[in-house]
Short mmCIF file of all heavy atoms in Angstrom, two decimals:
data_model
loop_
_atom_site.label_atom_id
_atom_site.label_comp_id
_atom_site.label_asym_id
_atom_site.label_seq_id
_atom_site.Cartn_x
_atom_site.Cartn_y
_atom_site.Cartn_z
N ASP A 112 -0.10 4.46 0.14
CA ASP A 112 -0.70 5.60 0.91
C ASP A 112 0.12 5.72 2.30
O ASP A 112 0.30 4.95 2.96
CB ASP A 112 -2.17 5.42 1.41
CG ASP A 112 -3.13 5.51 0.21
OD1 ASP A 112 -2.62 6.08 -1.03
OD2 ASP A 112 -4.33 5.17 0.25
N PHE A 115 -0.73 10.51 5.96
CA PHE A 115 -1.30 11.87 5.47
C PHE A 115 -2.20 11.73 4.33
O PHE A 115 -2.99 12.54 4.14
CB PHE A 115 -0.10 12.79 5.19
CG PHE A 115 0.75 13.16 6.29
CD1 PHE A 115 1.98 12.52 6.38
CD2 PHE A 115 0.45 14.03 7.32
CE1 PHE A 115 2.84 12.69 7.47
CE2 PHE A 115 1.23 14.18 8.41
CZ PHE A 115 2.40 13.52 8.54
N GLY A 118 -7.46 7.52 3.85
CA GLY A 118 -8.85 7.85 4.08
C GLY A 118 -9.43 8.82 3.14
O GLY A 118 -8.98 9.09 2.11
N THR A 119 -10.70 9.00 3.38
CA THR A 119 -11.58 9.86 2.46
C THR A 119 -11.11 11.34 2.63
O THR A 119 -10.40 11.69 3.49
CB THR A 119 -12.99 9.80 2.70
OG1 THR A 119 -13.22 10.35 3.98
CG2 THR A 119 -13.56 8.30 2.70
N TRP A 124 -9.69 15.87 6.07
CA TRP A 124 -9.84 17.23 6.47
C TRP A 124 -10.00 17.25 7.98
O TRP A 124 -9.43 18.13 8.55
CB TRP A 124 -11.31 17.62 5.93
CG TRP A 124 -11.79 18.87 6.48
CD1 TRP A 124 -12.90 18.91 7.31
CD2 TRP A 124 -11.39 20.27 6.32
NE1 TRP A 124 -13.05 20.26 7.54
CE2 TRP A 124 -12.29 21.09 7.05
CE3 TRP A 124 -10.22 20.78 5.58
CZ2 TRP A 124 -12.04 22.47 7.10
CZ3 TRP A 124 -10.15 22.14 5.73
CH2 TRP A 124 -10.99 22.98 6.42
N GLU A 135 0.48 21.51 15.13
CA GLU A 135 1.33 20.86 14.31
C GLU A 135 1.09 21.18 12.93
O GLU A 135 0.67 20.43 12.11
CB GLU A 135 0.99 19.28 14.58
CG GLU A 135 1.28 18.71 15.96
CD GLU A 135 2.72 18.55 16.23
OE1 GLU A 135 3.59 18.50 15.39
OE2 GLU A 135 3.13 18.75 17.41
N TYR A 136 1.56 22.35 12.58
CA TYR A 136 1.30 23.00 11.31
C TYR A 136 1.90 22.36 10.19
O TYR A 136 1.26 22.30 9.15
CB TYR A 136 1.72 24.54 11.41
CG TYR A 136 1.01 25.19 12.50
CD1 TYR A 136 1.65 25.85 13.50
CD2 TYR A 136 -0.32 25.37 12.59
CE1 TYR A 136 1.17 26.61 14.58
CE2 TYR A 136 -1.00 26.07 13.62
CZ TYR A 136 -0.26 26.58 14.56
OH TYR A 136 -0.85 27.24 15.62
N ALA A 139 -0.27 19.29 9.47
CA ALA A 139 -1.63 19.81 8.76
C ALA A 139 -1.37 20.28 7.41
O ALA A 139 -2.21 19.97 6.58
CB ALA A 139 -2.26 21.06 9.73
N ILE A 142 -1.11 17.45 4.88
CA ILE A 142 -2.51 16.85 4.57
C ILE A 142 -3.17 17.80 3.63
O ILE A 142 -3.85 17.37 2.61
CB ILE A 142 -3.28 16.44 5.76
CG1 ILE A 142 -2.50 15.47 6.63
CG2 ILE A 142 -4.70 16.00 5.50
CD1 ILE A 142 -3.14 15.31 8.10
N LEU A 143 -3.27 19.05 3.90
CA LEU A 143 -4.05 20.06 3.32
C LEU A 143 -3.54 20.25 1.74
O LEU A 143 -4.27 20.51 0.82
CB LEU A 143 -4.05 21.36 3.99
CG LEU A 143 -4.97 21.30 5.36
CD1 LEU A 143 -4.57 22.46 6.18
CD2 LEU A 143 -6.31 21.28 4.95
N PRO A 151 -9.29 21.77 -5.92
CA PRO A 151 -8.67 23.06 -5.91
C PRO A 151 -9.68 24.19 -5.70
O PRO A 151 -9.21 25.31 -5.28
CB PRO A 151 -8.01 23.17 -7.22
CG PRO A 151 -8.50 22.09 -8.06
CD PRO A 151 -9.10 21.01 -7.24
N ASP A 152 -10.92 23.89 -5.78
CA ASP A 152 -11.82 25.04 -5.56
C ASP A 152 -12.46 25.12 -4.14
O ASP A 152 -13.19 25.98 -3.99
CB ASP A 152 -13.08 24.83 -6.72
CG ASP A 152 -12.61 25.17 -8.18
OD1 ASP A 152 -11.58 25.90 -8.29
OD2 ASP A 152 -13.22 24.55 -8.99
N ARG A 157 -8.20 25.60 1.39
CA ARG A 157 -7.12 26.52 0.98
C ARG A 157 -6.95 27.62 2.10
O ARG A 157 -5.83 28.00 2.50
CB ARG A 157 -7.49 27.41 -0.33
CG ARG A 157 -7.17 26.73 -1.53
CD ARG A 157 -7.05 27.62 -2.66
NE ARG A 157 -7.03 26.88 -3.93
CZ ARG A 157 -5.87 26.44 -4.44
NH1 ARG A 157 -4.75 26.86 -3.85
NH2 ARG A 157 -5.81 25.74 -5.58
N LEU A 158 -7.93 28.07 2.71
CA LEU A 158 -7.79 29.12 3.89
C LEU A 158 -7.05 28.28 4.97
O LEU A 158 -6.18 29.13 5.56
CB LEU A 158 -9.27 29.44 4.43
CG LEU A 158 -9.79 30.64 3.73
CD1 LEU A 158 -11.28 30.97 4.16
CD2 LEU A 158 -8.87 32.00 3.91
N ARG A 162 -3.45 29.32 6.55
CA ARG A 162 -3.27 29.69 7.94
C ARG A 162 -2.15 28.70 8.47
O ARG A 162 -1.33 29.16 9.43
CB ARG A 162 -4.45 29.20 8.73
CG ARG A 162 -5.56 30.36 8.60
CD ARG A 162 -6.91 29.99 9.25
NE ARG A 162 -6.73 30.00 10.69
CZ ARG A 162 -7.61 29.56 11.59
NH1 ARG A 162 -8.65 28.78 11.16
NH2 ARG A 162 -7.38 29.62 12.85
N ARG A 169 5.83 30.36 6.91
CA ARG A 169 6.08 30.08 5.47
C ARG A 169 5.16 31.19 4.78
O ARG A 169 4.06 30.88 4.23
CB ARG A 169 5.80 28.68 5.04
CG ARG A 169 6.71 27.66 5.67
CD ARG A 169 6.65 26.37 5.19
NE ARG A 169 5.47 25.77 5.69
CZ ARG A 169 5.07 24.56 5.23
NH1 ARG A 169 5.72 23.85 4.55
NH2 ARG A 169 3.94 24.00 5.78
N GLU A 174 0.83 33.68 1.37
CA GLU A 174 0.46 34.80 0.37
C GLU A 174 -0.09 34.17 -0.88
O GLU A 174 -1.11 34.62 -1.42
CB GLU A 174 1.60 35.78 0.14
CG GLU A 174 1.23 36.82 -0.80
CD GLU A 174 2.40 37.77 -1.10
OE1 GLU A 174 3.45 37.69 -0.41
OE2 GLU A 174 2.35 38.53 -2.00
N GLU A 176 -1.41 31.15 -1.48
CA GLU A 176 -2.66 30.60 -1.37
C GLU A 176 -3.79 31.62 -1.18
O GLU A 176 -4.83 31.44 -1.82
CB GLU A 176 -2.66 29.69 -0.17
CG GLU A 176 -1.84 28.46 -0.27
CD GLU A 176 -2.36 27.55 -1.52
OE1 GLU A 176 -3.62 27.43 -1.83
OE2 GLU A 176 -1.63 26.85 -2.04
N ARG A 178 -3.86 34.62 -2.41
CA ARG A 178 -4.03 35.29 -3.57
C ARG A 178 -4.86 34.45 -4.59
O ARG A 178 -5.68 34.92 -5.35
CB ARG A 178 -2.74 35.77 -4.30
CG ARG A 178 -2.00 36.87 -3.50
CD ARG A 178 -0.89 37.52 -4.28
NE ARG A 178 -0.25 38.47 -3.51
CZ ARG A 178 -0.62 39.80 -3.28
NH1 ARG A 178 -1.77 40.19 -3.90
NH2 ARG A 178 0.10 40.76 -2.53
N PRO A 185 -12.91 37.69 -4.85
CA PRO A 185 -12.37 38.82 -4.35
C PRO A 185 -12.93 39.52 -3.15
O PRO A 185 -12.42 40.34 -2.52
CB PRO A 185 -12.53 39.90 -5.59
CG PRO A 185 -12.97 39.03 -6.73
CD PRO A 185 -13.60 37.82 -6.22
N GLY A 195 -3.62 40.76 4.34
CA GLY A 195 -3.17 42.04 4.89
C GLY A 195 -2.12 41.66 6.14
O GLY A 195 -1.04 42.29 6.15
N THR A 197 -0.50 38.85 6.49
CA THR A 197 0.65 38.26 5.98
C THR A 197 1.58 39.11 5.47
O THR A 197 2.90 39.10 5.65
CB THR A 197 0.21 37.19 4.97
OG1 THR A 197 -0.68 36.19 5.58
CG2 THR A 197 1.39 36.42 4.31
N ARG A 200 3.45 40.96 8.22
CA ARG A 200 4.40 40.20 8.81
C ARG A 200 5.65 40.02 7.96
O ARG A 200 6.77 39.83 8.53
CB ARG A 200 3.78 38.86 9.23
CG ARG A 200 4.60 38.02 10.15
CD ARG A 200 3.94 36.81 10.58
NE ARG A 200 4.83 35.88 11.23
CZ ARG A 200 4.39 34.61 11.45
NH1 ARG A 200 3.21 34.11 11.12
NH2 ARG A 200 5.39 33.83 12.13
N ALA A 217 -12.20 44.86 6.61
CA ALA A 217 -13.06 45.48 7.43
C ALA A 217 -14.40 45.82 6.85
O ALA A 217 -15.51 45.74 7.42
CB ALA A 217 -12.44 46.68 8.17
N ASP A 222 -17.24 46.01 9.63
CA ASP A 222 -16.47 46.76 10.67
C ASP A 222 -15.83 48.03 10.21
O ASP A 222 -14.84 48.08 9.44
CB ASP A 222 -15.31 45.87 11.27
CG ASP A 222 -14.66 46.45 12.39
OD1 ASP A 222 -15.07 47.54 12.93
OD2 ASP A 222 -13.63 45.78 12.72
N GLY A 231 -16.87 61.74 10.48
CA GLY A 231 -15.51 61.95 10.94
C GLY A 231 -15.62 62.58 12.29
O GLY A 231 -14.75 62.57 13.10
#
Side-chain angles (χ1 to χ4, degrees):
D112 285 347
F115 298 103
T119 66
W124 170 251
E135 294 287 337
Y136 302 120
I142 296 167
L143 290 163
D152 294 330
R157 275 196 192 275
L158 272 174
R162 290 177 66 197
R169 295 188 289 174
E174 179 183 349
E176 288 300 326
R178 290 193 186 277
T197 300
R200 195 167 166 198
D222 181 9

